Amino acid sequence: MAYRASSHRYELMRPGEIESERQHAPIAYIPWGSLEWHGLHNAIGLDALKAHAIALDAADITGGVVLPPIFAGYGTMKPFKGFKHTIEVSAETIKALLRELLEQLKDEGFKVLVLIMGHYGKQHVDALMSICEEFQSRHCDIVVLAFPEYQVAVEDGIRGDHAGAYETSLMMHYYPETVDLTLLPKGRKLSIDEDGVGGEDPRVQASAQFGKETAQLIVRRIAERVNETLKSIRTA
Ligand SMILES: [Zn+2]
């Protein structure tokens, strides 16, 4: 299972391990997603699982700790079209949770806080970004980096989607046992309204290989950004 043991998983680390990791690289990753319909072929927790796996890979390069994935999405497919098994969380709740997490991580001595948003509806992103900006304006010795995971690789031609070839491929790479493309309807076009699938057709375009290449690119871009930020703090 790709939801694997990593020396950077905060919840699996002992106090001494957290402390030495923080002294070596005071970076804390916050992988944020949702419990949301992602087509008949994908797991409900896709967004947070994806963000978590990417954060763990990035931490392998940069060092630091990775908080457990947060499954709390606002503006999900449920209010949008009533897609089932989706757990919609309010803007107030996600904002309060993020505010407290940032404050606590600051209190714990982390200097670069990296919010990786696997769920990236505009309402959700705007809500979380408003908290990051508010926090950043109060703490100038800490840097908050916050972005939907695909955004770091837009210049490389990467585009996010919803349960389309992009997200499905990432899951085929990180959590292959959770994807079953045979469950998708055949003989007609998929749509966001009817199937909850948007982007390029996963039945045709999704593959573990594309997922692997995409993940590696995103991880590399995130690591570059985080390492540059850490360096700028240390030389400031
Ligand atoms: Zn998604």
Side-chain angles (χ1 to χ4, degrees):
M1 183 109 187
Y3 193 63
R4 65 208 186 285
S6 154
S7 58
H8 302 280
R9 278 181 69 165
Y10 196 79
E11 71 276 26
L12 296 181
M13 296 169 82
R14 289 185 296 272
E17 293 173 318
I18 293 175
E19 196 47 32
S20 66
E21 195 61 44
R22 188 193 63 79
Q23 282 173 15
H24 157 68
I27 301 160
Y29 289 89
I30 308 169
W32 201 297
S34 56
L35 291 169
E36 181 185 38
W37 177 281
H38 273 80
L40 288 168
H41 62 306
N42 279 313
I44 286 288
L46 190 156
D47 288 341
L49 294 170
K50 169 188 65 169
H52 189 228
I54 286 171
L56 290 173
D57 278 352
D60 275 345
I61 302 172
T62 64
V65 301
V66 177
L67 273 285
I70 292 163
F71 294 90
Y74 164 56
T76 63
M77 298 291 281
K78 193 174 214 167
F80 171 59
K81 290 277 175 187
F83 279 102
K84 282 176 71 67
H85 316 305
T86 300
I87 309 294
E88 169 76 5
V89 179
S90 70
E92 295 70 39
T93 299
I94 63 166
K95 286 164 79 169
L97 181 55
L98 179 60
R99 187 183 294 117
E100 292 184 19
L101 271 172
L102 295 175
E103 291 292 346
Q104 286 293 305
L105 290 167
K106 175 192 94 60
D107 192 50
E108 291 298 324
F110 292 97
K111 299 293 184 197
V112 181
L113 309 180
V114 189
L115 172 63
I116 301 181
M117 289 178 270
H119 174 64
Y120 32 70
K122 187 177 179 328
Q123 293 172 296
H124 178 87
V125 171
D126 287 352
L128 294 183
M129 290 305 281
S130 73
I131 296 302
C132 293
E133 282 157 22
E134 175 197 299
F135 176 88
Q136 191 70 86
S137 71
R138 282 184 287 112
H139 304 291
C140 55
D141 56 333
I142 290 176
V143 176
V144 181
L145 301 175
F147 45 81
E149 87 283 332
Y150 70 88
Q151 213 175 62
V152 296
V154 162
E155 284 176 18
D156 301 293
I158 299 296
R159 296 287 179 277
D161 66 14
H162 184 83
Y166 165 82
E167 281 197 324
T168 302
S169 295
L170 286 174
M171 291 304 272
M172 290 168 84
H173 168 55
Y174 280 123
Y175 305 91
E177 68 282 11
T178 68
V179 182
D180 187 350
L181 288 165
T182 68
L183 296 173
L184 285 167
K186 292 165 187 71
R188 65 168 175 82
K189 212 169 172 299
L190 301 176
S191 73
I192 193 78
D193 288 356
E194 201 176 340
D195 308 289
V197 178
E200 289 185 2
D201 192 335
R203 296 169 302 184
V204 185
Q205 311 271 17
S207 72
Q209 184 58 30
F210 175 59
K212 183 181 177 183
E213 289 163 11
T214 304
Q216 286 174 342
L217 187 57
I218 289 171
V219 165
R220 192 161 72 236
R221 293 284 176 251
I222 292 174
E224 285 166 3
R225 208 183 266 206
V226 170
N227 279 337
E228 273 167 32
T229 303
L230 190 59
K231 209 162 100 188
S232 71
I233 286 179
R234 281 181 164 150
T235 54

